Amino acid sequence: MSQISEILANKPEAIWSVTSEQSVLEAIRLMSDHGIGAVLVMDDGRLVGILSERDYARKVILQDRSSRETLVGDIMTRNVFTATTDRTISECMAMMSENDFRHLPVVEGDRVIGMISIGDLVRAMIKEYQYIIEQMEHYITG
């Protein structure tokens, strides 16, 4: 099974982040501008959380809070799961499925080097299975 390093190699290198002191509105605008569903929360270059559209919907919209006045640090997910580049696609898929989240920061030591989504993993798995099927067809047909 392929490793996360292969997914990152095919993604843009940009890592979108906000600080815990920024407004939720700023974070949502950043996500909208870049077509992403989650943004890392970094304070002083250190990963302190993640903010997703799900966090926004549940902790701002449904609680009738102001996006302009609520700080990212007030609603972000603090206990962030991470992966390293040597993890396999299936290991990351299992981690994300078992813990019900859709975005996974990738780290080297204490430095964030990228982020993958459940969609990235699904696309990689489909590509890998298509390759296996092609190889089996070639074997069968000679």
PDB file of all heavy atoms in Angstrom, residues 106-140:
ATOM      1  N   VAL A 106       0.101  16.383   8.271  1.00  0.00           N
ATOM      2  CA  VAL A 106       1.263  15.510   8.127  1.00  0.00           C
ATOM      3  C   VAL A 106       2.454  16.263   8.699  1.00  0.00           C
ATOM      4  O   VAL A 106       2.691  17.424   8.360  1.00  0.00           O
ATOM      5  CB  VAL A 106       1.509  15.135   6.650  1.00  0.00           C
ATOM      6  CG1 VAL A 106       2.702  14.210   6.523  1.00  0.00           C
ATOM      7  CG2 VAL A 106       0.256  14.482   6.054  1.00  0.00           C
ATOM      8  N   VAL A 107       3.205  15.591   9.573  1.00  0.00           N
ATOM      9  CA  VAL A 107       4.303  16.251  10.274  1.00  0.00           C
ATOM     10  C   VAL A 107       5.624  15.507  10.083  1.00  0.00           C
ATOM     11  O   VAL A 107       5.643  14.312   9.825  1.00  0.00           O
ATOM     12  CB  VAL A 107       4.012  16.381  11.791  1.00  0.00           C
ATOM     13  CG1 VAL A 107       2.774  17.229  12.044  1.00  0.00           C
ATOM     14  CG2 VAL A 107       3.844  15.017  12.440  1.00  0.00           C
ATOM     15  N   GLU A 108       6.690  16.265  10.208  1.00  0.00           N
ATOM     16  CA  GLU A 108       8.050  15.730  10.337  1.00  0.00           C
ATOM     17  C   GLU A 108       8.589  16.328  11.615  1.00  0.00           C
ATOM     18  O   GLU A 108       8.797  17.539  11.686  1.00  0.00           O
ATOM     19  CB  GLU A 108       8.919  16.158   9.148  1.00  0.00           C
ATOM     20  CG  GLU A 108       8.779  15.297   7.937  1.00  0.00           C
ATOM     21  CD  GLU A 108       9.729  15.703   6.813  1.00  0.00           C
ATOM     22  OE1 GLU A 108      10.449  16.725   6.946  1.00  0.00           O
ATOM     23  OE2 GLU A 108       9.740  15.003   5.803  1.00  0.00           O
ATOM     24  N   GLY A 109       8.772  15.508  12.623  1.00  0.00           N
ATOM     25  CA  GLY A 109       9.159  16.031  13.932  1.00  0.00           C
ATOM     26  C   GLY A 109       8.029  16.879  14.473  1.00  0.00           C
ATOM     27  O   GLY A 109       6.901  16.434  14.573  1.00  0.00           O
ATOM     28  N   ASP A 110       8.333  18.143  14.772  1.00  0.00           N
ATOM     29  CA  ASP A 110       7.289  19.048  15.267  1.00  0.00           C
ATOM     30  C   ASP A 110       6.868  20.059  14.207  1.00  0.00           C
ATOM     31  O   ASP A 110       6.175  21.024  14.498  1.00  0.00           O
ATOM     32  CB  ASP A 110       7.756  19.763  16.538  1.00  0.00           C
ATOM     33  CG  ASP A 110       8.998  20.609  16.305  1.00  0.00           C
ATOM     34  OD1 ASP A 110       9.609  20.515  15.214  1.00  0.00           O
ATOM     35  OD2 ASP A 110       9.365  21.373  17.215  1.00  0.00           O
ATOM     36  N   ARG A 111       7.252  19.818  12.955  1.00  0.00           N
ATOM     37  CA  ARG A 111       6.951  20.733  11.857  1.00  0.00           C
ATOM     38  C   ARG A 111       5.871  20.156  10.938  1.00  0.00           C
ATOM     39  O   ARG A 111       5.968  19.016  10.493  1.00  0.00           O
ATOM     40  CB  ARG A 111       8.223  20.989  11.054  1.00  0.00           C
ATOM     41  CG  ARG A 111       8.169  22.232  10.193  1.00  0.00           C
ATOM     42  CD  ARG A 111       9.449  22.347   9.431  1.00  0.00           C
ATOM     43  NE  ARG A 111       9.293  21.322   8.515  1.00  0.00           N
ATOM     44  CZ  ARG A 111       9.777  21.075   7.306  1.00  0.00           C
ATOM     45  NH1 ARG A 111      10.531  21.647   6.880  1.00  0.00           N
ATOM     46  NH2 ARG A 111       9.525  20.150   6.498  1.00  0.00           N
ATOM     47  N   VAL A 112       4.830  20.942  10.664  1.00  0.00           N
ATOM     48  CA  VAL A 112       3.784  20.521   9.741  1.00  0.00           C
ATOM     49  C   VAL A 112       4.301  20.693   8.318  1.00  0.00           C
ATOM     50  O   VAL A 112       4.791  21.752   7.949  1.00  0.00           O
ATOM     51  CB  VAL A 112       2.498  21.356   9.930  1.00  0.00           C
ATOM     52  CG1 VAL A 112       1.447  20.962   8.908  1.00  0.00           C
ATOM     53  CG2 VAL A 112       1.958  21.209  11.349  1.00  0.00           C
ATOM     54  N   ILE A 113       4.179  19.632   7.514  1.00  0.00           N
ATOM     55  CA  ILE A 113       4.665  19.702   6.134  1.00  0.00           C
ATOM     56  C   ILE A 113       3.536  19.587   5.104  1.00  0.00           C
ATOM     57  O   ILE A 113       3.773  19.716   3.908  1.00  0.00           O
ATOM     58  CB  ILE A 113       5.738  18.633   5.849  1.00  0.00           C
ATOM     59  CG1 ILE A 113       5.187  17.228   6.067  1.00  0.00           C
ATOM     60  CG2 ILE A 113       6.976  18.885   6.703  1.00  0.00           C
ATOM     61  CD1 ILE A 113       6.091  16.140   5.516  1.00  0.00           C
ATOM     62  N   GLY A 114       2.322  19.343   5.565  1.00  0.00           N
ATOM     63  CA  GLY A 114       1.193  19.255   4.655  1.00  0.00           C
ATOM     64  C   GLY A 114      -0.051  18.777   5.369  1.00  0.00           C
ATOM     65  O   GLY A 114      -0.039  18.550   6.579  1.00  0.00           O
ATOM     66  N   MET A 115      -1.123  18.660   4.587  1.00  0.00           N
ATOM     67  CA  MET A 115      -2.363  18.132   5.146  1.00  0.00           C
ATOM     68  C   MET A 115      -3.049  17.317   4.055  1.00  0.00           C
ATOM     69  O   MET A 115      -3.057  17.705   2.890  1.00  0.00           O
ATOM     70  CB  MET A 115      -3.286  19.245   5.636  1.00  0.00           C
ATOM     71  CG  MET A 115      -4.517  18.689   6.321  1.00  0.00           C
ATOM     72  SD  MET A 115      -5.338  19.771   7.518  1.00  0.00           S
ATOM     73  CE  MET A 115      -5.786  21.169   6.549  1.00  0.00           C
ATOM     74  N   ILE A 116      -3.607  16.189   4.462  1.00  0.00           N
ATOM     75  CA  ILE A 116      -4.342  15.340   3.540  1.00  0.00           C
ATOM     76  C   ILE A 116      -5.790  15.255   3.998  1.00  0.00           C
ATOM     77  O   ILE A 116      -6.093  15.410   5.179  1.00  0.00           O
ATOM     78  CB  ILE A 116      -3.725  13.929   3.421  1.00  0.00           C
ATOM     79  CG1 ILE A 116      -3.666  13.247   4.780  1.00  0.00           C
ATOM     80  CG2 ILE A 116      -2.357  14.001   2.758  1.00  0.00           C
ATOM     81  CD1 ILE A 116      -3.269  11.777   4.717  1.00  0.00           C
ATOM     82  N   SER A 117      -6.660  15.006   3.039  1.00  0.00           N
ATOM     83  CA  SER A 117      -8.078  14.856   3.351  1.00  0.00           C
ATOM     84  C   SER A 117      -8.508  13.424   3.080  1.00  0.00           C
ATOM     85  O   SER A 117      -7.797  12.655   2.423  1.00  0.00           O
ATOM     86  CB  SER A 117      -8.910  15.816   2.491  1.00  0.00           C
ATOM     87  OG  SER A 117      -8.871  15.392   1.136  1.00  0.00           O
ATOM     88  N   ILE A 118      -9.676  13.096   3.558  1.00  0.00           N
ATOM     89  CA  ILE A 118     -10.222  11.769   3.303  1.00  0.00           C
ATOM     90  C   ILE A 118     -10.384  11.577   1.793  1.00  0.00           C
ATOM     91  O   ILE A 118     -10.180  10.491   1.268  1.00  0.00           O
ATOM     92  CB  ILE A 118     -11.548  11.542   4.076  1.00  0.00           C
ATOM     93  CG1 ILE A 118     -11.890  10.059   4.173  1.00  0.00           C
ATOM     94  CG2 ILE A 118     -12.681  12.327   3.500  1.00  0.00           C
ATOM     95  CD1 ILE A 118     -11.258   9.354   5.315  1.00  0.00           C
ATOM     96  N   GLY A 119     -10.712  12.653   1.080  1.00  0.00           N
ATOM     97  CA  GLY A 119     -10.830  12.589  -0.377  1.00  0.00           C
ATOM     98  C   GLY A 119      -9.510  12.231  -1.043  1.00  0.00           C
ATOM     99  O   GLY A 119      -9.476  11.454  -2.005  1.00  0.00           O
ATOM    100  N   ASP A 120      -8.407  12.798  -0.532  1.00  0.00           N
ATOM    101  CA  ASP A 120      -7.073  12.456  -1.055  1.00  0.00           C
ATOM    102  C   ASP A 120      -6.814  10.962  -0.909  1.00  0.00           C
ATOM    103  O   ASP A 120      -6.280  10.308  -1.811  1.00  0.00           O
ATOM    104  CB  ASP A 120      -5.967  13.213  -0.312  1.00  0.00           C
ATOM    105  CG  ASP A 120      -6.014  14.715  -0.510  1.00  0.00           C
ATOM    106  OD1 ASP A 120      -6.424  15.173  -1.588  1.00  0.00           O
ATOM    107  OD2 ASP A 120      -5.614  15.426   0.439  1.00  0.00           O
ATOM    108  N   LEU A 121      -7.179  10.421   0.241  1.00  0.00           N
ATOM    109  CA  LEU A 121      -6.947   9.005   0.509  1.00  0.00           C
ATOM    110  C   LEU A 121      -7.808   8.114  -0.386  1.00  0.00           C
ATOM    111  O   LEU A 121      -7.326   7.116  -0.927  1.00  0.00           O
ATOM    112  CB  LEU A 121      -7.218   8.684   1.984  1.00  0.00           C
ATOM    113  CG  LEU A 121      -6.287   9.352   2.991  1.00  0.00           C
ATOM    114  CD1 LEU A 121      -6.749   9.073   4.414  1.00  0.00           C
ATOM    115  CD2 LEU A 121      -4.861   8.906   2.800  1.00  0.00           C
ATOM    116  N   VAL A 122      -9.063   8.500  -0.557  1.00  0.00           N
ATOM    117  CA  VAL A 122      -9.959   7.711  -1.407  1.00  0.00           C
ATOM    118  C   VAL A 122      -9.444   7.702  -2.844  1.00  0.00           C
ATOM    119  O   VAL A 122      -9.385   6.651  -3.483  1.00  0.00           O
ATOM    120  CB  VAL A 122     -11.405   8.240  -1.330  1.00  0.00           C
ATOM    121  CG1 VAL A 122     -12.282   7.620  -2.409  1.00  0.00           C
ATOM    122  CG2 VAL A 122     -11.997   7.981   0.052  1.00  0.00           C
ATOM    123  N   ARG A 123      -9.044   8.866  -3.364  1.00  0.00           N
ATOM    124  CA  ARG A 123      -8.504   8.931  -4.729  1.00  0.00           C
ATOM    125  C   ARG A 123      -7.259   8.060  -4.873  1.00  0.00           C
ATOM    126  O   ARG A 123      -7.098   7.351  -5.869  1.00  0.00           O
ATOM    127  CB  ARG A 123      -8.209  10.379  -5.119  1.00  0.00           C
ATOM    128  CG  ARG A 123      -9.455  11.165  -5.497  1.00  0.00           C
ATOM    129  CD  ARG A 123      -9.106  12.555  -6.026  1.00  0.00           C
ATOM    130  NE  ARG A 123      -8.572  13.438  -5.012  1.00  0.00           N
ATOM    131  CZ  ARG A 123      -9.303  14.114  -4.126  1.00  0.00           C
ATOM    132  NH1 ARG A 123     -10.623  13.994  -4.138  1.00  0.00           N
ATOM    133  NH2 ARG A 123      -8.741  14.904  -3.241  1.00  0.00           N
ATOM    134  N   ALA A 124      -6.387   8.096  -3.881  1.00  0.00           N
ATOM    135  CA  ALA A 124      -5.161   7.285  -3.936  1.00  0.00           C
ATOM    136  C   ALA A 124      -5.486   5.799  -3.895  1.00  0.00           C
ATOM    137  O   ALA A 124      -4.860   5.002  -4.613  1.00  0.00           O
ATOM    138  CB  ALA A 124      -4.229   7.662  -2.782  1.00  0.00           C
ATOM    139  N   MET A 125      -6.454   5.412  -3.076  1.00  0.00           N
ATOM    140  CA  MET A 125      -6.837   3.999  -2.999  1.00  0.00           C
ATOM    141  C   MET A 125      -7.449   3.531  -4.319  1.00  0.00           C
ATOM    142  O   MET A 125      -7.146   2.440  -4.793  1.00  0.00           O
ATOM    143  CB  MET A 125      -7.815   3.771  -1.844  1.00  0.00           C
ATOM    144  CG  MET A 125      -7.155   3.883  -0.478  1.00  0.00           C
ATOM    145  SD  MET A 125      -8.322   3.615   0.864  1.00  0.00           S
ATOM    146  CE  MET A 125      -8.215   1.835   0.992  1.00  0.00           C
ATOM    147  N   ILE A 126      -8.295   4.343  -4.915  1.00  0.00           N
ATOM    148  CA  ILE A 126      -8.903   3.985  -6.199  1.00  0.00           C
ATOM    149  C   ILE A 126      -7.826   3.806  -7.255  1.00  0.00           C
ATOM    150  O   ILE A 126      -7.838   2.821  -8.010  1.00  0.00           O
ATOM    151  CB  ILE A 126      -9.939   5.045  -6.631  1.00  0.00           C
ATOM    152  CG1 ILE A 126     -11.169   4.975  -5.723  1.00  0.00           C
ATOM    153  CG2 ILE A 126     -10.324   4.872  -8.107  1.00  0.00           C
ATOM    154  CD1 ILE A 126     -12.142   6.115  -5.909  1.00  0.00           C
ATOM    155  N   LYS A 127      -6.884   4.736  -7.296  1.00  0.00           N
ATOM    156  CA  LYS A 127      -5.793   4.648  -8.271  1.00  0.00           C
ATOM    157  C   LYS A 127      -4.992   3.357  -8.068  1.00  0.00           C
ATOM    158  O   LYS A 127      -4.652   2.655  -9.021  1.00  0.00           O
ATOM    159  CB  LYS A 127      -4.884   5.867  -8.133  1.00  0.00           C
ATOM    160  CG  LYS A 127      -3.790   5.944  -9.149  1.00  0.00           C
ATOM    161  CD  LYS A 127      -2.991   7.230  -8.966  1.00  0.00           C
ATOM    162  CE  LYS A 127      -1.829   7.285  -9.922  1.00  0.00           C
ATOM    163  NZ  LYS A 127      -1.024   8.484  -9.736  1.00  0.00           N
ATOM    164  N   GLU A 128      -4.714   3.033  -6.820  1.00  0.00           N
ATOM    165  CA  GLU A 128      -3.948   1.831  -6.520  1.00  0.00           C
ATOM    166  C   GLU A 128      -4.721   0.564  -6.899  1.00  0.00           C
ATOM    167  O   GLU A 128      -4.157  -0.364  -7.483  1.00  0.00           O
ATOM    168  CB  GLU A 128      -3.581   1.809  -5.041  1.00  0.00           C
ATOM    169  CG  GLU A 128      -2.541   0.775  -4.706  1.00  0.00           C
ATOM    170  CD  GLU A 128      -1.899   1.038  -3.361  1.00  0.00           C
ATOM    171  OE1 GLU A 128      -1.354   2.134  -3.155  1.00  0.00           O
ATOM    172  OE2 GLU A 128      -1.954   0.125  -2.527  1.00  0.00           O
ATOM    173  N   TYR A 129      -6.011   0.534  -6.598  1.00  0.00           N
ATOM    174  CA  TYR A 129      -6.816  -0.635  -6.942  1.00  0.00           C
ATOM    175  C   TYR A 129      -6.970  -0.774  -8.455  1.00  0.00           C
ATOM    176  O   TYR A 129      -6.981  -1.888  -8.981  1.00  0.00           O
ATOM    177  CB  TYR A 129      -8.178  -0.600  -6.256  1.00  0.00           C
ATOM    178  CG  TYR A 129      -8.072  -0.786  -4.750  1.00  0.00           C
ATOM    179  CD1 TYR A 129      -8.876  -0.065  -3.879  1.00  0.00           C
ATOM    180  CD2 TYR A 129      -7.161  -1.678  -4.193  1.00  0.00           C
ATOM    181  CE1 TYR A 129      -8.775  -0.236  -2.504  1.00  0.00           C
ATOM    182  CE2 TYR A 129      -7.056  -1.850  -2.821  1.00  0.00           C
ATOM    183  CZ  TYR A 129      -7.867  -1.127  -1.983  1.00  0.00           C
ATOM    184  OH  TYR A 129      -7.765  -1.295  -0.631  1.00  0.00           O
ATOM    185  N   GLN A 130      -7.083   0.351  -9.165  1.00  0.00           N
ATOM    186  CA  GLN A 130      -7.152   0.286 -10.626  1.00  0.00           C
ATOM    187  C   GLN A 130      -5.875  -0.329 -11.196  1.00  0.00           C
ATOM    188  O   GLN A 130      -5.930  -1.138 -12.124  1.00  0.00           O
ATOM    189  CB  GLN A 130      -7.380   1.679 -11.217  1.00  0.00           C
ATOM    190  CG  GLN A 130      -8.784   2.171 -11.040  1.00  0.00           C
ATOM    191  CD  GLN A 130      -8.968   3.606 -11.494  1.00  0.00           C
ATOM    192  OE1 GLN A 130      -8.033   4.408 -11.487  1.00  0.00           O
ATOM    193  NE2 GLN A 130     -10.180   3.938 -11.881  1.00  0.00           N
ATOM    194  N   TYR A 131      -4.748   0.023 -10.641  1.00  0.00           N
ATOM    195  CA  TYR A 131      -3.479  -0.536 -11.081  1.00  0.00           C
ATOM    196  C   TYR A 131      -3.437  -2.045 -10.845  1.00  0.00           C
ATOM    197  O   TYR A 131      -3.037  -2.820 -11.710  1.00  0.00           O
ATOM    198  CB  TYR A 131      -2.311   0.156 -10.364  1.00  0.00           C
ATOM    199  CG  TYR A 131      -0.967  -0.458 -10.681  1.00  0.00           C
ATOM    200  CD1 TYR A 131      -0.339  -0.193 -11.895  1.00  0.00           C
ATOM    201  CD2 TYR A 131      -0.351  -1.315  -9.772  1.00  0.00           C
ATOM    202  CE1 TYR A 131       0.892  -0.775 -12.194  1.00  0.00           C
ATOM    203  CE2 TYR A 131       0.878  -1.903 -10.064  1.00  0.00           C
ATOM    204  CZ  TYR A 131       1.488  -1.622 -11.273  1.00  0.00           C
ATOM    205  OH  TYR A 131       2.689  -2.204 -11.577  1.00  0.00           O
ATOM    206  N   ILE A 132      -3.878  -2.470  -9.668  1.00  0.00           N
ATOM    207  CA  ILE A 132      -3.896  -3.897  -9.336  1.00  0.00           C
ATOM    208  C   ILE A 132      -4.811  -4.655 -10.297  1.00  0.00           C
ATOM    209  O   ILE A 132      -4.451  -5.729 -10.800  1.00  0.00           O
ATOM    210  CB  ILE A 132      -4.325  -4.117  -7.859  1.00  0.00           C
ATOM    211  CG1 ILE A 132      -3.240  -3.597  -6.918  1.00  0.00           C
ATOM    212  CG2 ILE A 132      -4.637  -5.586  -7.588  1.00  0.00           C
ATOM    213  CD1 ILE A 132      -3.665  -3.516  -5.463  1.00  0.00           C
ATOM    214  N   ILE A 133      -5.964  -4.098 -10.593  1.00  0.00           N
ATOM    215  CA  ILE A 133      -6.902  -4.741 -11.519  1.00  0.00           C
ATOM    216  C   ILE A 133      -6.283  -4.866 -12.908  1.00  0.00           C
ATOM    217  O   ILE A 133      -6.376  -5.922 -13.546  1.00  0.00           O
ATOM    218  CB  ILE A 133      -8.237  -3.965 -11.568  1.00  0.00           C
ATOM    219  CG1 ILE A 133      -8.981  -4.144 -10.237  1.00  0.00           C
ATOM    220  CG2 ILE A 133      -9.095  -4.414 -12.759  1.00  0.00           C
ATOM    221  CD1 ILE A 133     -10.161  -3.213 -10.055  1.00  0.00           C
ATOM    222  N   GLU A 134      -5.628  -3.799 -13.372  1.00  0.00           N
ATOM    223  CA  GLU A 134      -4.963  -3.844 -14.685  1.00  0.00           C
ATOM    224  C   GLU A 134      -3.899  -4.939 -14.723  1.00  0.00           C
ATOM    225  O   GLU A 134      -3.784  -5.666 -15.714  1.00  0.00           O
ATOM    226  CB  GLU A 134      -4.342  -2.493 -15.010  1.00  0.00           C
ATOM    227  CG  GLU A 134      -5.339  -1.423 -15.359  1.00  0.00           C
ATOM    228  CD  GLU A 134      -4.687  -0.051 -15.503  1.00  0.00           C
ATOM    229  OE1 GLU A 134      -3.436   0.042 -15.541  1.00  0.00           O
ATOM    230  OE2 GLU A 134      -5.437   0.934 -15.578  1.00  0.00           O
ATOM    231  N   GLN A 135      -3.126  -5.039 -13.660  1.00  0.00           N
ATOM    232  CA  GLN A 135      -2.081  -6.064 -13.601  1.00  0.00           C
ATOM    233  C   GLN A 135      -2.677  -7.471 -13.617  1.00  0.00           C
ATOM    234  O   GLN A 135      -2.153  -8.366 -14.287  1.00  0.00           O
ATOM    235  CB  GLN A 135      -1.205  -5.869 -12.358  1.00  0.00           C
ATOM    236  CG  GLN A 135      -0.400  -4.586 -12.364  1.00  0.00           C
ATOM    237  CD  GLN A 135       0.488  -4.482 -13.594  1.00  0.00           C
ATOM    238  OE1 GLN A 135       1.265  -5.376 -13.898  1.00  0.00           O
ATOM    239  NE2 GLN A 135       0.354  -3.377 -14.309  1.00  0.00           N
ATOM    240  N   MET A 136      -3.768  -7.654 -12.904  1.00  0.00           N
ATOM    241  CA  MET A 136      -4.436  -8.955 -12.890  1.00  0.00           C
ATOM    242  C   MET A 136      -5.008  -9.290 -14.271  1.00  0.00           C
ATOM    243  O   MET A 136      -4.922 -10.425 -14.720  1.00  0.00           O
ATOM    244  CB  MET A 136      -5.524  -8.974 -11.816  1.00  0.00           C
ATOM    245  CG  MET A 136      -4.972  -8.936 -10.403  1.00  0.00           C
ATOM    246  SD  MET A 136      -6.256  -8.764  -9.160  1.00  0.00           S
ATOM    247  CE  MET A 136      -6.862 -10.442  -9.116  1.00  0.00           C
ATOM    248  N   GLU A 137      -5.589  -8.284 -14.944  1.00  0.00           N
ATOM    249  CA  GLU A 137      -6.125  -8.508 -16.283  1.00  0.00           C
ATOM    250  C   GLU A 137      -5.021  -8.902 -17.257  1.00  0.00           C
ATOM    251  O   GLU A 137      -5.199  -9.807 -18.084  1.00  0.00           O
ATOM    252  CB  GLU A 137      -6.856  -7.261 -16.784  1.00  0.00           C
ATOM    253  CG  GLU A 137      -8.184  -7.028 -16.109  1.00  0.00           C
ATOM    254  CD  GLU A 137      -8.832  -5.699 -16.481  1.00  0.00           C
ATOM    255  OE1 GLU A 137      -8.140  -4.805 -17.047  1.00  0.00           O
ATOM    256  OE2 GLU A 137     -10.034  -5.552 -16.206  1.00  0.00           O
ATOM    257  N   HIS A 138      -3.883  -8.228 -17.164  1.00  0.00           N
ATOM    258  CA  HIS A 138      -2.742  -8.562 -18.024  1.00  0.00           C
ATOM    259  C   HIS A 138      -2.243  -9.990 -17.745  1.00  0.00           C
ATOM    260  O   HIS A 138      -1.891 -10.733 -18.671  1.00  0.00           O
ATOM    261  CB  HIS A 138      -1.592  -7.563 -17.850  1.00  0.00           C
ATOM    262  CG  HIS A 138      -1.829  -6.276 -18.541  1.00  0.00           C
ATOM    263  ND1 HIS A 138      -2.494  -5.237 -17.930  1.00  0.00           N
ATOM    264  CD2 HIS A 138      -1.494  -5.848 -19.789  1.00  0.00           C
ATOM    265  CE1 HIS A 138      -2.569  -4.219 -18.760  1.00  0.00           C
ATOM    266  NE2 HIS A 138      -1.968  -4.561 -19.901  1.00  0.00           N
ATOM    267  N   TYR A 139      -2.239 -10.365 -16.506  1.00  0.00           N
ATOM    268  CA  TYR A 139      -1.783 -11.708 -16.116  1.00  0.00           C
ATOM    269  C   TYR A 139      -2.738 -12.765 -16.670  1.00  0.00           C
ATOM    270  O   TYR A 139      -2.312 -13.792 -17.210  1.00  0.00           O
ATOM    271  CB  TYR A 139      -1.694 -11.804 -14.594  1.00  0.00           C
ATOM    272  CG  TYR A 139      -1.319 -13.169 -14.095  1.00  0.00           C
ATOM    273  CD1 TYR A 139      -0.012 -13.619 -14.184  1.00  0.00           C
ATOM    274  CD2 TYR A 139      -2.286 -14.014 -13.565  1.00  0.00           C
ATOM    275  CE1 TYR A 139       0.336 -14.886 -13.731  1.00  0.00           C
ATOM    276  CE2 TYR A 139      -1.960 -15.285 -13.123  1.00  0.00           C
ATOM    277  CZ  TYR A 139      -0.633 -15.719 -13.210  1.00  0.00           C
ATOM    278  OH  TYR A 139      -0.304 -16.974 -12.779  1.00  0.00           O
ATOM    279  N   ILE A 140      -4.027 -12.511 -16.523  1.00  0.00           N
ATOM    280  CA  ILE A 140      -5.045 -13.475 -16.946  1.00  0.00           C
ATOM    281  C   ILE A 140      -5.055 -13.618 -18.468  1.00  0.00           C
ATOM    282  O   ILE A 140      -5.133 -14.728 -19.002  1.00  0.00           O
ATOM    283  CB  ILE A 140      -6.442 -13.085 -16.427  1.00  0.00           C
ATOM    284  CG1 ILE A 140      -6.470 -13.246 -14.898  1.00  0.00           C
ATOM    285  CG2 ILE A 140      -7.547 -13.899 -17.096  1.00  0.00           C
ATOM    286  CD1 ILE A 140      -7.690 -12.638 -14.226  1.00  0.00           C
TER     287      ILE A 140
END
